[in-house]
Structure formats: C-alpha cells, structure tokens
Amino acid sequence: MKLIERYSLVPIYHQVKEFIRSKIESGEWLPGYKIPSEEQLARDFGISRMTVRRSLMELTGEGILYRQQGKGTFVAGPKIIQHLAIITSFTQDMLARGMKPSSRVLEKGFLNAPKGLADKLKTAIGEPVIFIDRVRLADSKPMAIETAYVVYRLCPTLIDDDLEGNSLNALIESKYGQKFAYAIQTLEAALASGRDAQLLTIAEGDPVLRMERIYHSMDGTPIMFVVSTYRADKYKFTVTLEGMPPR
C-alpha cells in the first residue's frame, strides 16, 4: 500500500483518490472489481474512515466507481455515450454497442391527464393517457428507469402490446404510424431516491441523470412524454455545438 505523504501540499483525500485511480488505469482493478472497504482502506493508509469516504464519494460522483447497497463499492466500466442531437431509443443505443436490450414492466395503465401532463402533451385536461413504467436493462443489468406517457387516441391498443420484448419507439412508429420528427429534451443531475436505488442496484443518494423528453410529430403534435432516470456511472451525454459567426 502506498504511504500517505502527511506533510504534502496535496490533501490526503486526494492522494487516496489518485491511488485508487492509478489501480484502475493500470488495469490492476478491472471493471466490476470490488475495492477494499472504507474500514480496510482507512486501516491500510492509517487515516480516518471519513477521509476515505470523501475520496470514494468523489470517485463515485465522477463515475469511476459505483456502489451497490449492502454489497460494497466497485470499479465502473466504460460509460455509454448518448448523442443528444439525434433521436435514438434505448434499444438502438444498446444494440449499437453490442449489448442485449430488454425491459421489465413495473406498472402500466390509463390515467386522465392532470394539468401538468396535459400541458406537456398539449391535450385537454382529463384526456386519456397511457402510462408505462419500466426498468431498462442491458445484458440483464439495470441501466435506467423510464416512465412513458402516450396520448391514448394516437395509440389506443398500445397497452396490450409486448412492452418488454419490443422498443416502445419502434412500436409507436411501425404499428401506429406516429413518426417522431423531433423531440424537446431537458437533462439534470439528481440524487437517487430509495426507489431509484432499489431498481438500479445503486445506493440511495448516488448521482443519477434525470431526463425529460417530449416527442413530436412532423406537424408539432406531441405524441409521448418520457421521464428517464439513468445511472450516472453508466451514462454520459454529448452534444455537437455549432460555432457562431463573430459579431
């Protein structure tokens, strides 16, 4: 174990971070490797668990490590990159990376759109909407929680379709003829709730990425509103920015 330089200008917690990072970058600790516990690292370094905890929390926030409730802290694998400038489905993203996509339906049903949802879908308050709550998996590992709200009159039998073995986007476009022309999307950082943690097999309070997306048809009619919660240790989003001419 590398000795801590107690009189260095580099803070002790940062030295611990760099030690762990070097183990990962050298290939000694591979993705999925369970790193030593806080107690073990504190004992090996001769420092407090609080200092170790800060190092692990920052590495988790950076997506280098991830935690599993009751199991420990592990080395994260490469993140899945999603490009924000192109409409792609979860299924397309996973297939493009050689992974097997699947879903687990948690709940599905009908609701009468409350005002907030009606505003997003540009429907009348109380108009029927189909909701579908799913966990999205890649190679059987949970990656995201997704709740979709679809205008009922546009896809009236959607709730009876196979929503675990099929792409929802593909179903809506191929079976119901509702073509997605563009989508308006917002993305923000958040902390995992107890439910998020349980479904995504992470620890409560771990960083997640919360995304909202409204899909529109060519004439601007909203078709579907989706709220997704992604594991921050598995995902990162990129967007291409075009340059502005000098003024």
Side-chain angles (χ1 to χ4, degrees), residues 13 17 49-59:
Y13 83 89
K17 280 182 63 177
R49 287 185 63 175
M50 185 175 297
T51 300
V52 172
R53 184 173 298 124
R54 178 177 179 182
S55 304
L56 299 186
M57 287 179 66
E58 290 198 4
L59 287 169

Side-chain angles (χ1 to χ4, degrees), residues 11-24 45 51-52 54-59 62 64:
I12 291 176
Y13 83 89
H14 190 78
Q15 294 182 51
V16 175
K17 280 182 63 177
E18 291 311 304
F19 167 80
I20 294 172
R21 196 190 305 274
S22 69
K23 290 285 189 180
I24 296 170
F45 282 116
T51 300
V52 172
R54 178 177 179 182
S55 304
L56 299 186
M57 287 179 66
E58 290 198 4
L59 287 169
E62 293 171 18
I64 306 298

Side-chain angles (χ1 to χ4, degrees), residues 38-101:
E38 287 182 9
E39 183 179 10
Q40 182 65 51
L41 288 170
R43 185 164 55 247
D44 290 345
F45 282 116
I47 58 178
S48 71
R49 287 185 63 175
M50 185 175 297
T51 300
V52 172
R53 184 173 298 124
R54 178 177 179 182
S55 304
L56 299 186
M57 287 179 66
E58 290 198 4
L59 287 169
T60 299
E62 293 171 18
I64 306 298
L65 302 175
Y66 68 92
R67 296 185 295 168
Q68 287 192 355
Q69 192 72 41
K71 294 184 178 181
T73 303
F74 300 81
V75 177
K79 292 189 178 184
I80 293 168
I81 300 174
Q82 185 178 44
H83 297 280
L84 297 181
I86 304 171
I87 296 179
T88 59
S89 68
F90 178 88
T91 298
Q92 290 171 317
D93 287 339
M94 297 307 107
L95 289 174
R97 289 159 180 79
M99 305 174 80
K100 182 181 179 181

Side-chain angles (χ1 to χ4, degrees), residues 97-113:
R97 289 159 180 79
M99 305 174 80
K100 182 181 179 181
S102 60
S103 300
R104 186 170 79 250
V105 175
L106 303 171
E107 190 177 3
K108 61 181 180 178
F110 303 94
L111 58 84
N112 297 322

